[in-house]
Amino acid sequence: MKVLIARLNHETNTFSPVATPLASFDPQYGADGYRAARGSRTAAGAFIDLAEAAGAEIVVPVIAGANPSGRVAAAAYTHLTDTIVEAAVGCDAVLLDLHGAMVAENSDDGEGDLLARLRQILPDAPIAVALDLHGNITQALIDHADIAVSFKTYPHIDMYETGEHAGRLLFEMAAKRIRPVIAWRRPPLMTHTLCSRTDEGAMARAVASAKAAERDGMLAVSVLAGFGLADIAAPCLCVIVVGNGDQQAAEAVADRIAAQIWEEREGFVYTSAPLEVSIAEAARAAQGEEGKGSARRPVLLLDHGDNCMSGGTCDNMAVLHAALARGLDGIAVGPVCDPEAVAALIAAGVGAAVTLPVGDKVAMPQLGVFPEPRPLSGTVAAISDGEYVISGPTYTGQRIRMGRTVLLDTGAAQVIVTETPQEHWDLGIFTHIGVDPHAARFLLLKSRMYCRPVFVPIAKAVVECDGEGVTSSRYEKFPFRKVDRPVFPLDRDTAWQGVDWSRP
């Protein structure tokens, strides 16, 4: 059995000004791709383990993934998908580690268009895909995949397990032990990422229903929250049910879970507080901690409006300047992505007193935001290569390379400035350059969710701050033009009882 295994991951924020060329994917081809994926805690890593256990011949055309950003460059999308499609000739089965929310300059449905091309070449071969929980699913993906399974956790810690699930079903299908059928529903519901965490609320209940349906006999049931910051036809939540030969039973499960979600649709909508209200809340939380006379724990300020893992520029300074204007101090912040400032600070050298503009240099023209850089004054406290190793639980053991990194101490704030946008996977983002996050009064993180397993346990309180970035939860800021209407919550006042969404 000859099995194609590939990874092509990108969550596209079509409003983001951050470019996505081929280099952003750091593609690894052939044997290099195989080595990069084998043993990794990814779906592709699970695919390889399963294929090797089955004694299959493995073809790995490419392993590629980029941080969320703007539309994928047409040349990059064409090259990467051509690489996969050309390698599929002569294969008996296909296992794909995809995100599900890729939008390219030349494709609004990156994954669906790829699968259509693969199905044309391999009309009878089993095709299984592992998907991110935030995928925007289309009819094309459903039509051309035999098996589709998504993560059940957010923050995501089950990438490998999802791949194992999808891959196991593919090999059972190939052996004719199961006969997969797919049913799906896509309510007109654009969720907010902050309401897609799987440990609480409506999303937790939806995932629990999916797991219960699997225990009751469905081969796989997935709830995908979707990714709303994409101006495509339907950046919406969906339910995918893989049944075993009984289409009617699968349809009934999809109907039931979709109806449950729609009934709880308000639970998938996040309402942002004004930034000044959030900063005042953080100030009160810090005072409450100090008033107890206990050991200090930091208050987390989560700048989810400029989140790296949703396509943020990571250079918007609205939250920091609001905190400084309020008189907050003891702030550890970063990383702020500003290669120009990094170069200037390194040229000044450790110990130098400097005044220079930091951040607010990347315009967001689709949102009509053209920030004016404001100066910070302080001392260059440290310079590093920007590398550390993640201790877990997400991407455990992976080495992070942030580019050259500088610590600017302004007195009230210790500002980490990097050459690239970064997510807060680990305390190492601070400790690698000599900042003790436990000692801060406030930790200002450009993060929504991935920071939480590591940073919440050391924190006194968590305050979500919606600044002026391109990953804001205020959908009213975004000029959606392609989205099919009506859709909730953009059209909250629609008479929904008259709208039939029972089929996508």
Side-chain angles (χ1 to χ4, degrees):
M1 188 175 182
K2 188 176 182 181
V3 180
L4 182 146
I5 295 172
R7 184 170 197 255
L8 182 55
N9 266 238
H10 189 253
E11 181 180 79
T12 306
N13 179 336
T14 63
F15 302 101
S16 173
V18 180
T20 316
L22 181 62
S24 296
F25 287 88
D26 187 23
Q28 306 292 310
Y29 303 97
D32 289 338
Y34 168 82
R35 285 189 291 269
R38 189 175 189 272
S40 68
R41 291 287 304 169
T42 64
F47 293 159
I48 289 173
D49 288 346
L50 287 165
E52 289 184 337
E57 178 185 351
I58 299 172
V59 177
V60 181
V62 67
I63 299 294
N67 279 344
S69 49
R71 285 179 179 266
V72 177
Y77 177 76
T78 299
H79 166 73
L80 292 168
T81 53
D82 282 355
T83 299
I84 294 170
V85 171
E86 289 165 7
V89 177
C91 288
D92 302 302
V94 175
L95 286 162
L96 296 177
D97 180 348
L98 305 176
H99 184 283
M102 177 183 286
V103 183
E105 292 173 343
N106 54 340
S107 171
D108 272 7
D109 185 9
E111 289 87 357
D113 288 347
L114 169 61
L115 284 165
R117 293 179 65 193
L118 287 169
R119 182 56 75 196
Q120 190 171 24
I121 292 172
L122 303 172
D124 301 315
I127 297 177
V129 296
L131 297 161
D132 191 286
L133 178 143
H134 293 105
N136 290 327
I137 305 307
T138 66
Q139 188 65 51
L141 185 144
I142 299 298
D143 286 344
H144 301 301
D146 296 289
I147 295 157
V149 185
S150 79
F151 306 159
K152 286 186 170 67
T153 63
Y154 182 54
H156 308 316
I157 56 173
D158 63 336
M159 292 84 81
Y160 182 93
E161 289 76 10
T162 300
E164 193 280 333
H165 191 168
R168 172 169 42 84
L169 294 181
L170 178 132
F171 282 104
E172 290 183 3
M173 178 185 178
K176 302 189 183 306
R177 290 192 290 268
I178 60 172
R179 185 167 62 87
V181 295
I182 294 183
W184 79 302
R185 299 291 181 273
R186 188 177 61 201
L189 172 58
M190 289 172 58
T191 72
H192 285 102
T193 305
L194 279 166
C195 292
S196 61
R197 55 188 298 180
T198 53
D199 61 345
E200 66 179 25
M203 186 64 179
R205 290 185 287 275
V207 171
S209 295
K211 292 178 178 178
E214 290 178 345
R215 291 193 297 271
D216 290 341
M218 292 298 111
L219 296 177
V221 183
S222 302
V223 178
L224 295 93
F227 183 62
L229 297 177
D231 192 18
I232 57 176
C236 296
L237 177 148
C238 82
V239 179
I240 302 176
V241 179
V242 182
N244 188 9
D246 189 337
Q247 187 71 45
Q248 185 174 355
E251 300 285 352
V253 171
D255 276 334
R256 184 177 72 249
I257 296 178
Q260 171 191 328
I261 289 167
W262 184 248
E263 185 68 22
E264 291 198 81
R265 58 190 177 275
E266 290 285 358
F268 293 90
V269 177
Y270 180 86
T271 301
S272 292
L275 181 54
E276 60 271 18
V277 172
S278 299
I279 297 298
E281 179 186 346
R284 288 192 298 271
Q287 290 171 352
E289 175 70 12
E290 293 165 359
K292 295 179 180 179
S294 59
R296 173 182 290 173
R297 289 186 294 158
V299 174
L300 299 187
L301 300 174
L302 301 188
D303 183 6
H304 63 91
D306 189 24
N307 170 229
C308 169
M309 295 307 288
S310 293
T313 63
C314 289
D315 89 320
N316 188 274
M317 303 294 281
V319 177
L320 176 59
H321 285 299
L324 293 174
R326 174 69 192 237
L328 303 191
D329 59 12
I331 307 169
V333 57
V336 175
C337 178
D338 188 339
E340 181 181 82
V342 168
L345 291 166
I346 290 175
V350 173
V354 296
T355 296
L356 78 169
V358 176
D360 283 332
K361 295 175 182 175
V362 180
M364 293 166 274
Q366 291 193 70
L367 273 62
V369 176
F370 300 90
E372 290 289 334
R374 287 167 279 185
L376 291 178
S377 296
T379 303
V380 180
I383 298 171
S384 84
D385 61 6
E387 296 192 11
Y388 70 91
V389 176
I390 298 175
S391 59
T394 307
Y395 297 125
T396 304
Q398 181 173 317
R399 176 167 289 276
I400 297 298
R401 296 174 175 86
M402 301 189 292
R404 297 183 301 171
T405 300
V406 182
L407 176 63
L408 174 64
D409 190 345
T410 72
Q414 292 181 296
V415 184
I416 297 173
V417 191
T418 61
E419 292 185 307
T420 61
Q422 293 294 325
E423 177 58 71
H424 292 76
W425 304 114
D426 195 90
L427 297 179
I429 210 164
F430 289 102
T431 58
H432 93 280
I433 201 166
V435 176
D436 180 3
H438 299 84
R441 292 185 70 219
F442 303 94
L443 288 174
L444 201 173
L445 314 180
K446 290 185 172 294
S447 182
R448 269 200 184 105
M449 200 63 63
Y450 291 112
C451 64
R452 295 182 193 242
V454 174
F455 286 88
V456 169
I458 73 168
K460 159 65 177 176
V462 178
V463 180
E464 292 159 349
C465 301
D466 197 341
E468 299 172 359
V470 76
T471 68
S472 169
S473 295
R474 295 185 175 92
Y475 283 159
E476 64 271 16
K477 295 175 60 173
F478 296 87
F480 293 102
R481 297 184 177 90
K482 295 184 178 181
V483 174
D484 291 338
R485 310 292 284 265
V487 65
F488 193 86
L490 299 187
D491 303 300
R492 183 182 294 276
D493 297 331
T494 295
W496 289 103
Q497 64 271 22
V499 178
D500 180 14
W501 53 265
S502 58
R503 293 292 184 273

